[in-house]
Amino acid sequence: MTQYQPPHINRKLNVQNWWLTALLIAINVGLFVWQIVSGIDISDPAMKDAIHWGADFTPLTFSGQPERLFTSMFFHFGLVHLMLNMWALYIFGNVAESLFGRFYFIGMYLLAGLFGSLLSSYMTIQNGHELLQHFDQSLLPHVSAGASGAVMGLGAALTVLSLFPPLPHQAYILDKKALLMIMAINLIFGFVATGINNAAHIGGMVIGAFLALMWYLSYVSKFKNTLKLLGLLGAVVITGGFYMYCVQLNSPLLPLWHEIIIQNPDIIP
């Protein structure tokens, strides 16, 4: 990613140009430090600690605690997990914030993260239906958390934007090959490696790509602000509609989730 004009020295260290990204990083790091001070293992948090701090656990998320879809975006499973996500957030975030504007950027980040959490829960709900038919340890619900869904949403948005001719006012020329390669590597790694929530990555990418397309169309049409607003509202509707679908799909599993909660009193706060 390069600029049309030669960059000033240390431009990326000029935090006022990407202060919202810096704030998101600070919130994530600050919460992590708070968790460590409170006694959580810095490299491998216990399941009960992750749940206590708001991680997504479908039996709880879809049994009256939907806020976990949001809070799970700010919990990380150890220092390495946090560092990888924050580095990616810095790389994608400082560019996305400059390109899309802060209001659109934060909407994109949060909606991508929420939809990523939802798609992850949807996969758990699907596994729950299979679990009702035959017991399989691999189908039991897992705890999930992290900013990667939101971050992958930013990456997907920049990748989609790189496929179109640069706009006259665009501050960065996006490297299409590099972005496609980075996103492909992340997806492939998510499929072949264990312990990676690829559903959250894909969910975030879907929303990021959709919002990037709407943003670009807003600048090549006569309805700049209208299309941007419609893009954000459309993402809200998509996310809300998918949540309602998951609630309906989850309804037959409530007794199963209740049984799991009852059988694990030591991990449920």
Side-chain angles (χ1 to χ4, degrees):
M1 290 165 281
T2 58
Q3 294 180 278
Y4 283 111
Q5 301 297 327
H8 298 294
I9 296 175
N10 293 331
R11 180 187 183 278
K12 286 194 174 183
L13 297 180
N14 200 1
V15 179
Q16 66 257 33
N17 293 321
W18 48 277
W19 65 262
L20 195 50
T21 298
L23 178 61
L24 287 170
I25 294 172
I27 290 172
N28 279 280
V29 173
L31 284 172
F32 184 78
V33 171
W34 184 10
Q35 290 153 14
I36 300 308
V37 170
S38 71
I40 292 182
D41 191 315
I42 192 171
S43 59
D44 187 21
M47 182 177 176
K48 65 178 180 180
D49 291 328
I51 292 175
H52 174 75
W53 281 89
D56 182 20
F57 186 54
T58 302
L60 291 175
T61 302
F62 283 87
S63 298
Q65 299 181 25
E67 66 276 6
R68 290 181 177 276
L69 295 170
F70 174 79
T71 57
S72 61
M73 296 163 54
F74 297 92
F75 180 86
H76 289 85
F77 292 104
L79 183 60
V80 173
H81 187 207
L82 174 75
M83 290 176 63
L84 289 173
N85 276 343
M86 292 306 98
W87 175 246
L89 176 54
Y90 166 72
I91 294 298
F92 291 142
N94 79 82
V95 177
E97 186 175 342
S98 298
L99 281 174
F100 296 113
R102 292 192 174 98
F103 181 76
Y104 204 81
F105 163 78
I106 193 62
M108 178 184 292
Y109 181 87
L110 294 176
L111 286 166
L114 284 172
F115 196 80
S117 297
L118 269 174
L119 190 59
S120 174
S121 288
Y122 169 78
M123 298 303 296
T124 302
I125 291 170
Q126 292 284 32
N127 289 340
H129 282 279
E130 293 184 38
L131 193 60
L132 286 177
Q133 300 175 21
H134 56 87
F135 181 80
D136 184 342
Q137 190 76 20
S138 66
L139 298 176
L140 288 170
H142 299 284
V143 177
S144 61
S148 56
V151 172
M152 289 290 280
L154 299 180
L158 294 176
T159 302
V160 167
L161 201 58
S162 74
L163 302 178
F164 297 101
L167 296 168
H169 72 283
Q170 195 167 310
Y172 289 92
I173 301 173
L174 300 171
D175 190 330
K176 177 174 63 177
K177 290 183 179 179
L179 284 165
L180 285 171
M181 183 173 65
I182 291 170
M183 298 306 290
I185 289 173
N186 273 279
L187 275 179
I188 294 170
F189 189 67
F191 281 117
V192 301
T194 58
I196 295 179
N197 192 347
N198 223 24
H201 292 180
I202 294 171
M205 290 171 64
V206 168
I207 292 298
F210 168 75
L211 286 174
L213 178 61
M214 292 298 292
W215 183 88
Y216 188 84
L217 291 176
S218 74
Y219 280 96
V220 295
S221 74
K222 299 179 181 178
F223 309 102
K224 176 181 174 182
N225 293 327
T226 301
L227 279 180
K228 286 164 66 175
L229 181 60
L230 285 176
L232 289 171
L233 289 176
V236 170
V237 170
I238 292 170
T239 303
F242 190 51
Y243 170 75
M244 295 306 298
Y245 173 70
C246 287
V247 169
Q248 183 180 17
L249 190 65
N250 179 75
S251 183
L253 299 177
L254 289 175
L256 173 64
W257 299 152
H258 181 71
E259 183 179 348
I260 289 174
I261 293 171
I262 294 296
Q263 291 179 354
N264 295 275
D266 55 325
I267 65 171
I268 307 300

